[in-house]
């Protein structure tokens, strides 16, 4: 197991436990939030640390989640949450790590989980999606807009089970990575260039056209 990804996974798990304890006791926020540019509990549209408030589009609904509530985004209705483009979400030559929890309610339906990816005909920067074949795909767009780097997993995802996804762009080590639940080593690909920084909004959910 990759040490970096295992550390992130354990930190997130501790943060979830802290949230459960503090829900009734009113305790202090987790130190995990230090240094983040955005943090969404997704109990609502509020960014807890960065002020990048989300807007609910096409009717995503609030449902019971792993801790308290979360949003159900419907692929067929292309429901999603979005916030305007901002330097905090751009890649360029900056390292990027994104962590999210996801529970599929159907198998292999083709679901965009999050990203800055206006396809076709717009700015494509990065995207995490579940393909219709069931693979977990992490796309990163090169700065010159010539091509994507794709890292893909084939983890079998059970309907109504929770999964933690970690995606990463590490310029110091020239790799981009994806990992699910930190149970196995992350899948990596070489990344020796800068990433595209464009005008696409940052979206959670939705339905990206087939790539």
């Amino acid at each position: 197991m990759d040490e970096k990804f295992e550390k992130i996974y354990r930190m997130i798990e501790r943060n979830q436990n802290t949230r459960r304890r503090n829900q009734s006791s009113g305790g202090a926020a987790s130190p995990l939030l230090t240094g983040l540019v955005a943090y969404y509990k997704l109990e609502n549209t509020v960014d807890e640390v960065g002020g990048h408030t989300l807007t609910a589009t096409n009717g995503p609904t609030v449902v019971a989640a792993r801790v308290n509530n979360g949003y159900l985004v419907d692929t067929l209705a292309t429901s999603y949450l979005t916030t305007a483009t901002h330097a905090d979400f751009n890649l360029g030559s900056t390292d990027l790590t994104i962590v999210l929890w996801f529970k599929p309610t159907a198998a292999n339906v083709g679901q965009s989980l999050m990203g800055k990816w206006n396809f076709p005909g717009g700015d494509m920067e990065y995207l995490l999606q579940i393909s219709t074949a069931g693979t977990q795909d992490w796309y990163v767009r090169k700065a010159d807009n010539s091509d994507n780097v794709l890292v893909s997993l084939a983890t079998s995802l059970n309907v109504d089970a929770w999964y933690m996804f970690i995606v990463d762009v590490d310029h110091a080590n020239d790799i981009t990575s994806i990992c699910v639940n930190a149970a196995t080593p992350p899948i990596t690909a070489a990344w020796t260039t800068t990433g595209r920084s464009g005008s696409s909004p940052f979206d959670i959910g939705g339905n990206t056209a087939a790539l």
Side-chain angles (χ1 to χ4, degrees), residues 47-126:
D47 174 8
E48 302 289 333
V49 300
H52 304 296
T53 303
L54 297 167
T55 298
T57 304
N58 294 337
T61 53
V62 177
V63 296
R66 194 171 186 272
V67 178
N68 299 335
N69 293 325
Y71 275 96
L72 175 65
V73 291
D74 184 347
T75 299
L76 297 179
T78 61
S79 62
Y80 61 99
L81 300 114
T82 186
T83 188
T85 187
H86 190 279
D88 284 345
F89 297 112
N90 289 344
L91 180 53
S93 59
T94 304
D95 288 350
L96 175 75
T97 301
I98 300 177
V99 182
L100 61 85
W101 284 101
F102 169 70
K103 183 176 78 170
T105 57
N108 301 350
V109 294
Q111 175 69 61
S112 173
L113 300 187
M114 66 82 202
K116 298 187 69 190
W117 196 269
N118 184 9
F119 180 86
D123 275 328
M124 295 173 285
E125 299 176 50
Y126 52 84

Side-chain angles (χ1 to χ4, degrees), residues 100-150:
L100 61 85
W101 284 101
F102 169 70
K103 183 176 78 170
T105 57
N108 301 350
V109 294
Q111 175 69 61
S112 173
L113 300 187
M114 66 82 202
K116 298 187 69 190
W117 196 269
N118 184 9
F119 180 86
D123 275 328
M124 295 173 285
E125 299 176 50
Y126 52 84
L127 172 71
L128 174 62
Q129 72 164 14
I130 309 296
S131 74
T132 53
T135 57
Q136 303 90 54
D137 300 331
W138 170 234
Y139 291 90
V140 186
R141 190 75 171 175
K142 294 180 180 180
D144 63 5
N145 208 25
S146 63
D147 198 6
N148 311 309
V149 172
L150 167 63

